[in-house]
Amino acid sequence: MARSPHSAHSQRRLSVGEKVRHALTEVMQRGEIREPLLETAVVTVTEVDMSTDLKLATAYVTVLGQSDVEPYIAALNQHAKFIRGRITPALRQMKFMPEVRFRADTSFDNYARIDALLKSPEVARDLDDQDDDGDRN
């Protein structure tokens, strides 16, 4: 079965996004960004979403132990051009070097909210009711 061009394009975006994520992670680990706020923080790049033309990379980040990540996001975006220059060697096979912008990753908050909902007494009661109905049949 032949792949559609659209699915191949999506696969390309995922592959490039993962390469950009690795390059960003290396820059963060080496501590190359001279920003007092970032020098002491443990910044994790959880995902990179590439635009369809691969010229824009949106990096979703979390900061270990911090509930308010907005100051860190602002600092990363302030140093985005420097970071772009530092990831260039790792991505030299790309035709265009993507512009990088940073956003807070809220997926962990969503997971925690869903987990709390699933553990709530109301949901547990509903699940118990379903189990009781299933036993009767």
Side-chain angles (χ1 to χ4, degrees), residues 19 87 101 131:
K19 288 177 184 172
I87 65 172
R101 62 180 176 190
D131 287 342

Side-chain angles (χ1 to χ4, degrees), residues 12 14-24 90-91 93:
R12 174 81 174 137
L14 291 172
S15 174
V16 171
E18 191 61 19
K19 288 177 184 172
V20 172
R21 187 183 74 77
H22 281 284
L24 288 170
L91 303 171
Q93 72 277 8

